Amino acid sequence: GGGGVRAMVPLSQCPYNNDSEEDMFGDYDSFSGNDSLLAQVDNMEQECIQSIDLTSCTKNMEDEATVEPSFGYLQLQNAKSKELIFSAAGNITGFRTEEENHLRITSEQENRTLESEDCFLDDLPSSQLLYFEEMNKTSVDSRKSSGTKENANDMNSCLDKMLNRSSCHHNAEHTKINNELSLSTMSNLNKRKSLKDHLKNTMTGNAKAQTPQVSRTKQLKEAVLSEEICAAKKTIETSSVDIGPFYGLPSKVKDLFVQFRGIEKLYEWQHTCLTLESLQQRKNLIYSLPTSGGKTLVAEILILQELLCRQKDVLMVLPYVAVVQEKLHMLGEGSRGAILEMILAKILYTSKTTQIIGMSATLNNVGDLQQFLQAEYYTNNFRPVELKEYVKIQDSIYEVDNKAENGLTFSRLLNFKYSSNLQKMDPDHLIALVTEVIPSYSCLVFCPTKKNCENVAEMICKYLNKEYKNHRESEKQDLIKDLKNIGKGSLCPVLKRTIPFGIAYHHSGLTSDERKCIEEAYSTGVLCLLTCTSTLAAGVNLPARRVILRAPYVATEFLKKSQYKQMIGRAGRAGIDSAGESILIVQKKDKHLVRDLVNSPLENCYSNLFLEFTKGIQSLLLSLVGLKIARNPEEIYHFMCSTLFGVQQQFLSKEKSLSAITREALGCLIEKGLLKGKMTSEKEQKSQSNLEITQLGQATYKGSIDLAYCDALYRDLKKGLEGLVLESCLHLLYLTTPYDMTYHCRPDWIIYFRQFSQLNSVEQKVAAIVGVPESLITKKASGQAIKKDMDNCVINRLYLSFVLYALLKETNIWNVSEKFNVSRGYVQNLLNSAASFSSCVLHFCEELEEFWVYKALLMELTKRLTYCVKAELVPLMEVAGVLESRAKQLYDSGYKTLAHLANADPETLVKMIEHLSRRQGRQIVSSAKMLLREKAEALQEEVEELLKVPTDTSDGLLTTLP
């Protein structure tokens, strides 16, 4: 209630006549009998009419029945000693005595003041209105706490009006008309309707009106966000350096960085980079900084600018991307580099509007990359935390010093007492080095091999003081429980012994879930030391106070400078450590090699298109013709000139010209039956005809099949048609086992024989069909020599298909890894590779009519390999957030299909499924609904396509479907 006693109803909901044929209230209103609200109002009005003559009544009504267009409310006031208030929300505050009338007068004065400020508020932005709203709330709360009854509705009404500016002129006109109508009708009381009828009509309108579901504050916040996005769009379009509240993004983005990352201010170099003129003009850019300099944040801001401000798509290529962005040093890393180069070259050639932004911590020959990407370059040596590099030789530790004559300066001697037994077990003094920092600080120990990681972790724990177990003991026990749950009750014995000391190993032998669990424990300080391989340096952001390199080798190869920089770059991460240090342990024999390593420049980045011939240049040329990017040798040569290989060709291939290399690759594709056309001599190049892709070539590039294996795949699939065994999925699994994994496979022949013996007679027939007879397996298992040459690729491929077959039957990686004596990570990697290759084979078969029978079979097999669960759980596993254990829970509770989940009640789901939170329940139901809708839309599109009238049919033959 307000300070004055008044009846307030929205004008937009207060018609003078109720158009409905039926009176909603009738003779008996919503309150009771003769004492009802409307009855009291009617009595009061009759008394007023009887006691006041027509002229004075009209005058009083003109004075006291005020219409305030600034708030859109009709305020009706009674001059009697007792007055009634009825709010727009239908709240009754009852009757007040005459002594309270001074509060009403005060409120009316405030209303007039606000009305006079209407024009001022009209020009305010939503952010200022939001400020007023918050101030108003504070004021109301203050008045409530002091016991006063002042009304805050006036400011709220004003804010309501500002939120609906688009209709303000309509409301003003409506108010004016109603005001004039009110004055006109009050001059003739015989014609006007009673106050009771007004209230009844208003209550009717209020009853029909929908209650707003969004709070005023939320509306204002959304308006602020919308205004900022619009301002950012305009600023981006004008290519101005001054780009708005947060680099062209809403201030909400900055708030989220503070909330989730703790980033309150950008580094100076980040600000400089984000405001570069080249970025404002949407030119391509390469920026390079040392590891941990903050490159990723710049990439994320650029991505958000594209998505939110320009509303453009963003193509993410591997780790970091803005529009197209990549760790550019990976261009020189084998087949990954070749694939990345092909993607970038196609984008540059076909799209002149796509902006490419590349980032890297390790670049040397940046000029080649600038020429290839047609990009400008920004670099800075900034590192937020000082990194000191050390080299340890025996007991002596040297600091890397570029100013010193040999690049190393003596720093200190290790101060740690070793027993003769400990000296034998730890000749490199790892225990001394790690105990200087753990458990208070974190430490990473890089090891040459996976086995060495596990051995080092166990060795350190064996000689650590038992007091290390007390550090965050309960959290370590929780970690062990989590790892057991991941392994379905199984836990690696090494981790079981090392985790209580706060130590674990990290390499590809772990499953992805195990690695993630260990990484989270390390990030939160539950684990203080990880022994790991070099893969952690390139792929995971796990910082440490001290980084120790166990040896200057990766497997048996000596470290490259780029690898060394990536490893030591994990030391001293910003916001976590005040300093960072790296220690490289070196044997005397390698001292000269290490001196060269730490003082040498970074390696150059070279194209791998030529070295990776089938995955590189041949694959690229096949896709160019298939995608019709280039159709003849001349156009293909022109394209090749724009690649990184084209830029570096004179250095990479001095014997052959780029034109000769291109023509040679095209000749190979024609010879393999992937392309068709005639290759003319270089002199006749101008008159040459277009090349065309064959059906086999189309299937190969659409299926992303490595050209080295496309012939073998075609032969295997063709042979499979002669006698495909479908009693089990073993034969199909063999056909979808990746060829490239066979080269690293070393079968255990005892296990091979045991697994073969457990197959039934029909399944054993599969081995004979593919070319591995029982006699061969028996002789190999018994150690006998085989005189006849056998295809090792076929033998190894069948062995791997046995692993996959066991996995699909048991769906337990732990059991299968123990059965075949391989690591869990290897089994999971095989499974993922098989799922991916199965999808590739499916697309390959879709392009070749002769393989139509494989389509339905491979579609189901791909799903089973992707989810690796029982067939009945596959539909549930398609829902986001549902893993195998959750799928089993849902299935056992009666949610057996996607439709069951999509129509489930989240509250019921939470009650029925153990350990399911409300948030998870809502997400699962929401994801199921979305997936079901997508499937329905896909089917609808298929129906529309079927019903579409053919465009090449003559009018006389067309008929209309009923």
Side-chain angles (χ1 to χ4, degrees):
V5 184
R6 61 189 66 172
M8 303 179 66
V9 290
L11 275 175
S12 60
Q13 297 177 10
C14 185
Y16 272 89
N17 295 300
N18 186 358
D19 295 331
S20 175
E21 293 181 3
E22 181 181 356
D23 190 339
M24 288 180 66
F25 302 98
D27 295 327
Y28 186 80
D29 58 57
S30 58
F31 305 93
S32 58
N34 293 328
D35 293 328
S36 68
L37 171 67
L38 295 182
Q40 293 179 49
V41 169
D42 195 36
N43 291 336
M44 289 169 61
E45 185 178 32
Q46 292 303 320
E47 290 177 12
C48 180
I49 291 173
Q50 291 172 6
S51 60
I52 304 174
D53 60 70
L54 179 63
T55 305
S56 61
C57 178
T58 303
K59 184 177 183 301
N60 287 339
M61 292 297 288
E62 288 174 346
D63 291 339
E64 307 244 357
T66 62
V67 178
E68 299 190 16
S70 64
F71 306 131
Y73 285 114
L74 173 65
Q75 303 178 0
L76 302 174
Q77 302 176 3
N78 196 302
K80 298 286 289 179
S81 61
K82 286 189 175 182
E83 302 176 325
L84 171 73
I85 176 168
F86 179 72
S87 74
N91 297 323
I92 303 170
T93 59
F95 296 93
R96 299 176 187 258
T97 60
E98 199 168 47
E99 285 86 357
E100 295 175 305
N101 280 347
H102 68 282
L103 293 174
R104 172 180 58 81
I105 296 168
T106 304
S107 179
E108 288 176 351
Q109 290 172 347
E110 290 174 354
N111 291 344
R112 292 190 189 98
T113 303
L114 280 170
E115 185 177 356
S116 67
E117 293 174 354
D118 213 20
C119 296
F120 164 71
L121 290 172
D122 269 334
D123 296 328
L124 288 178
S126 298
S127 56
Q128 192 65 41
L129 292 176
L130 181 59
Y131 168 76
F132 282 152
E133 170 75 2
E134 291 170 350
M135 289 294 292
N136 178 52
K137 283 184 178 177
T138 305
S139 175
V140 171
D141 292 342
S142 175
R143 285 198 290 265
K144 284 183 179 178
S145 62
S146 62
T148 59
K149 305 292 183 181
E150 295 179 19
N151 185 12
N153 285 339
D154 295 331
M155 178 59 80
N156 290 341
S157 303
C158 178
L159 291 170
D160 278 335
K161 173 183 174 293
M162 298 307 294
L163 283 171
N164 296 281
R165 290 182 181 179
S166 61
S167 59
C168 64
H169 296 295
H170 170 76
N171 288 343
E173 290 297 323
H174 187 71
T175 304
K176 182 177 178 182
I177 292 169
N178 278 282
N179 191 21
E180 292 173 355
L181 182 58
S182 176
L183 293 172
S184 173
T185 53
M186 281 190 286
S187 66
N188 190 347
L189 286 178
N190 292 328
K191 292 181 180 180
R192 78 171 183 83
K193 297 183 88 55
S194 69
L195 177 59
K196 174 181 175 180
D197 289 334
H198 278 296
L199 287 175
K200 285 175 69 174
N201 278 299
T202 299
M203 291 168 75
T204 301
N206 286 342
K208 291 178 179 178
Q210 284 188 330
T211 305
Q213 298 298 312
V214 182
S215 69
R216 180 182 294 105
T217 303
K218 186 174 181 181
Q219 286 179 316
L220 280 170
K221 286 181 178 178
E222 289 177 354
V224 171
L225 189 63
S226 178
E227 284 179 1
E228 288 187 354
I229 288 177
C230 290
K233 278 185 187 176
K234 290 179 181 177
T235 311
I236 290 289
E237 287 167 3
T238 57
S239 298
S240 171
V241 176
D242 182 12
I243 54 176
F246 186 66
Y247 301 98
L249 295 167
S251 56
K252 179 67 175 174
V253 174
K254 183 178 180 181
D255 296 340
L256 291 172
F257 276 121
V258 173
Q259 181 181 350
F260 293 103
R261 301 279 188 81
I263 300 171
E264 297 184 359
K265 186 179 179 181
L266 268 62
Y267 296 130
E268 186 177 340
W269 84 262
Q270 291 172 327
H271 172 76
T272 302
C273 185
L274 286 167
T275 54
L276 287 172
E277 193 67 27
S278 55
L279 281 182
Q280 308 310 311
Q281 295 174 3
R282 292 188 56 75
K283 293 181 179 178
N284 296 343
L285 175 72
I286 300 169
Y287 65 99
S288 174
L289 278 95
T291 301
S292 83
K295 299 181 295 296
T296 305
L297 178 61
V298 171
E300 290 169 341
I301 292 173
L302 292 172
I303 288 171
L304 290 171
Q305 283 181 352
E306 292 298 310
L307 294 174
L308 297 180
C309 302
R310 297 188 179 96
Q311 295 186 350
K312 301 286 186 182
D313 291 335
V314 176
L315 175 61
M316 301 183 68
V317 184
L318 296 178
Y320 305 100
V321 186
V323 188
V324 177
Q325 177 163 337
E326 175 50 49
K327 282 190 170 179
L328 290 176
H329 61 270
M330 289 185 177
L331 280 167
E333 294 184 9
S335 61
R336 285 196 305 173
I339 292 169
L340 176 60
E341 183 179 347
M342 288 189 283
I343 293 171
L344 293 173
K346 288 174 187 174
I347 292 171
L348 286 164
Y349 192 82
T350 58
S351 174
K352 303 304 178 186
T353 58
T354 301
Q355 184 184 21
I356 298 176
I357 299 173
M359 57 171 276
S360 180
T362 49
L363 280 179
N364 191 34
N365 56 333
V366 71
D368 290 350
L369 297 174
Q370 278 187 267
Q371 187 179 342
F372 166 46
L373 296 177
Q374 304 159 34
E376 297 193 12
Y377 181 56
Y378 174 82
T379 187
N380 196 299
N381 291 322
F382 173 80
R383 202 178 193 280
V385 176
E386 183 185 10
L387 170 62
K388 292 186 177 182
E389 300 176 42
Y390 297 96
V391 173
K392 176 190 166 296
I393 303 174
Q394 294 182 334
D395 289 343
S396 300
I397 296 180
Y398 300 87
E399 184 174 355
V400 175
D401 184 0
N402 294 329
K403 297 178 182 177
E405 186 177 347
N406 60 0
L408 299 174
T409 303
F410 177 78
S411 177
R412 65 186 174 98
L413 285 173
L414 267 181
N415 183 21
F416 191 88
K417 294 181 180 180
Y418 268 75
S419 64
S420 58
N421 183 43
L422 183 55
Q423 181 69 34
K424 291 178 183 177
M425 295 300 297
D426 184 22
D428 294 326
H429 308 107
L430 277 172
I431 294 173
L433 294 174
V434 301
T435 51
E436 288 179 343
V437 289
I438 67 168
S440 301
Y441 299 100
S442 56
C443 182
L444 292 175
V445 179
F446 284 101
C447 303
T449 65
K450 288 181 283 189
K451 188 62 180 174
N452 191 235
C453 285
E454 298 177 28
N455 292 340
V456 168
E458 284 206 282
M459 184 273 293
I460 292 173
C461 291
K462 186 176 180 180
Y463 292 98
L464 278 183
N465 192 305
K466 303 301 179 186
E467 292 179 1
Y468 280 87
K469 288 187 174 183
N470 299 331
H471 183 72
R472 304 180 73 163
E473 185 177 6
S474 61
E475 291 168 276
K476 292 172 187 173
Q477 292 304 315
D478 290 338
L479 173 60
I480 289 174
K481 288 179 184 176
D482 291 341
L483 289 170
K484 278 187 177 179
N485 289 335
I486 291 170
K488 298 179 181 178
S490 300
L491 176 65
C492 170
V494 176
L495 292 176
K496 187 177 181 179
R497 290 190 290 269
T498 63
I499 287 176
F501 288 92
I503 297 173
Y505 66 85
H506 184 291
H507 58 59
S508 61
L510 297 167
T511 65
S512 57
D513 288 336
E514 286 174 324
R515 286 200 299 271
K516 182 180 178 182
C517 196
I518 288 171
E519 288 164 13
E520 288 176 355
Y522 177 82
S523 297
T524 55
V526 176
L527 296 175
C528 56
L529 187 148
L530 292 183
T531 58
C532 48
T533 54
S534 60
T535 52
L536 182 140
V540 185
N541 182 18
L542 293 179
R545 174 65 173 267
R546 175 176 289 179
V547 170
I548 300 171
L549 280 67
R550 174 77 174 72
Y553 291 91
V554 174
T556 57
E557 293 184 7
F558 196 80
L559 268 182
K560 295 178 181 177
K561 183 62 178 277
S562 59
Q563 293 172 322
Y564 170 73
K565 282 292 187 182
Q566 282 183 337
M567 290 181 190
I568 68 171
R570 303 297 138 196
R573 286 288 179 156
I576 298 173
D577 291 312
S578 57
E581 57 187 20
S582 68
I583 301 175
L584 172 58
I585 298 174
V586 180
Q587 305 301 319
K588 269 191 172 182
K589 63 182 179 67
D590 293 327
K591 185 176 179 179
H592 66 288
L593 294 174
V594 168
R595 190 184 295 121
D596 294 339
L597 171 70
V598 297
N599 293 294
S600 64
L602 292 165
E603 296 88 2
N604 287 335
C605 176
Y606 294 118
S607 170
N608 272 278
L609 279 183
F610 186 62
L611 294 176
E612 295 285 334
F613 203 60
T614 57
K615 284 186 179 179
I617 190 168
Q618 285 190 11
S619 179
L620 173 60
L621 300 190
L622 180 66
S623 66
L624 290 180
V625 177
L627 294 169
K628 298 181 179 178
I629 294 174
R631 302 187 181 211
N632 57 57
E634 185 179 4
E635 290 178 357
I636 291 170
Y637 172 73
H638 181 64
F639 179 94
M640 288 300 297
C641 289
S642 66
T643 62
L644 180 60
F645 177 69
V647 172
Q648 299 176 332
Q649 181 271 326
Q650 289 183 339
F651 178 81
L652 294 176
S653 178
K654 296 178 182 178
E655 297 82 12
K656 296 180 182 179
S657 67
L658 181 62
S659 175
I661 293 171
T662 304
R663 296 174 66 80
E664 182 182 328
L666 288 172
C668 289
L669 292 173
I670 293 172
E671 189 178 331
K672 286 183 178 181
L674 303 175
L675 290 180
K676 57 184 178 182
K678 290 184 178 181
M679 290 294 297
T680 56
S681 64
E682 291 191 39
K683 294 179 180 179
E684 303 172 320
Q685 199 166 353
K686 291 185 179 180
S687 61
Q688 58 196 314
S689 59
N690 288 343
L691 297 169
E692 293 182 14
I693 194 165
T694 63
Q695 278 193 311
L696 179 60
Q698 185 91 346
T700 301
Y701 102 81
K702 285 203 170 181
S704 299
I705 305 296
D706 187 338
L707 271 60
Y709 310 121
C710 63
D711 289 340
L713 176 62
Y714 181 83
R715 288 196 304 270
D716 288 342
L717 291 171
K718 191 77 172 175
K719 187 177 180 181
L721 291 178
E722 297 172 7
L724 188 64
V725 178
L726 295 176
E727 186 171 308
S728 74
C729 62
L730 179 60
H731 200 168
L732 277 175
L733 282 172
Y734 173 82
L735 294 173
T736 55
T737 299
Y739 290 95
D740 55 357
M741 292 202 72
T742 62
Y743 297 108
H744 307 290
C745 177
R746 298 290 181 269
D748 183 319
W749 286 100
I750 301 297
I751 296 174
Y752 209 146
F753 178 74
R754 187 185 304 136
Q755 292 300 312
F756 179 84
S757 301
Q758 292 173 2
L759 301 175
N760 62 39
S761 58
V762 177
E763 291 169 335
Q764 287 181 350
K765 186 181 175 183
V766 173
I769 290 173
V770 301
V772 185
E774 182 179 359
S775 58
L776 171 70
I777 300 174
T778 305
K779 287 180 180 179
K780 279 285 190 178
S782 61
Q784 298 180 38
I786 304 295
K787 295 180 180 180
K788 186 180 178 181
D789 290 336
M790 298 298 299
D791 189 341
N792 286 329
C793 180
V794 174
I795 293 170
N796 295 351
R797 202 168 177 222
L798 182 63
Y799 185 73
L800 292 178
S801 66
F802 282 176
V803 179
L804 292 170
Y805 189 45
L807 192 56
L808 287 187
K809 286 195 293 185
E810 297 190 30
T811 70
N812 188 314
I813 289 177
W814 266 89
N815 292 347
V816 174
S817 67
E818 290 175 357
K819 186 177 290 185
F820 286 87
N821 195 27
V822 291
S823 70
R824 306 176 298 285
Y826 179 85
V827 174
Q828 188 177 58
N829 184 39
L830 173 62
L831 177 67
N832 293 337
S833 298
S836 176
F837 189 63
S838 177
S839 177
C840 291
V841 176
L842 170 61
H843 291 299
F844 181 88
C845 293
E846 286 175 340
E847 298 298 321
L848 297 169
E849 186 62 32
E850 59 191 302
F851 294 145
W852 64 270
V853 71
Y854 287 114
K855 295 178 187 176
L857 297 171
L858 290 174
M859 193 172 293
E860 291 306 311
L861 182 65
T862 302
K863 284 185 180 180
R864 290 195 63 187
L865 288 169
T866 301
Y867 301 114
C868 191
V869 294
K870 301 294 184 183
E872 62 268 18
L873 298 181
V874 169
L876 301 179
M877 292 284 288
E878 291 182 282
V879 178
V882 176
L883 299 179
E884 183 181 0
S885 56
R886 184 72 75 204
K888 286 179 179 177
Q889 284 182 308
L890 293 168
Y891 190 87
D892 293 341
S893 299
Y895 299 96
K896 299 180 184 297
T897 65
L898 183 61
H900 284 142
L901 269 186
N903 291 284
D905 175 30
E907 292 299 324
T908 307
L909 204 62
V910 170
K911 292 175 183 176
M912 294 183 68
I913 306 300
E914 191 177 0
H915 304 307
L916 182 70
S917 67
R918 280 185 170 80
R919 182 180 63 82
Q920 291 171 325
R922 287 193 295 268
Q923 284 180 343
I924 287 173
V925 173
S926 177
S927 298
K929 285 181 178 177
M930 186 180 299
L931 185 59
L932 194 64
R933 192 179 301 117
E934 288 174 359
K935 287 179 178 287
E937 287 172 357
L939 289 172
Q940 182 62 36
E941 288 175 6
E942 200 172 321
V943 170
E944 290 173 359
E945 188 66 29
L946 285 171
L947 297 177
K948 189 183 292 183
V949 177
T951 55
D952 58 348
T953 306
S954 60
D955 293 340
L957 298 175
L958 293 179
T959 58
T960 304
L961 289 172

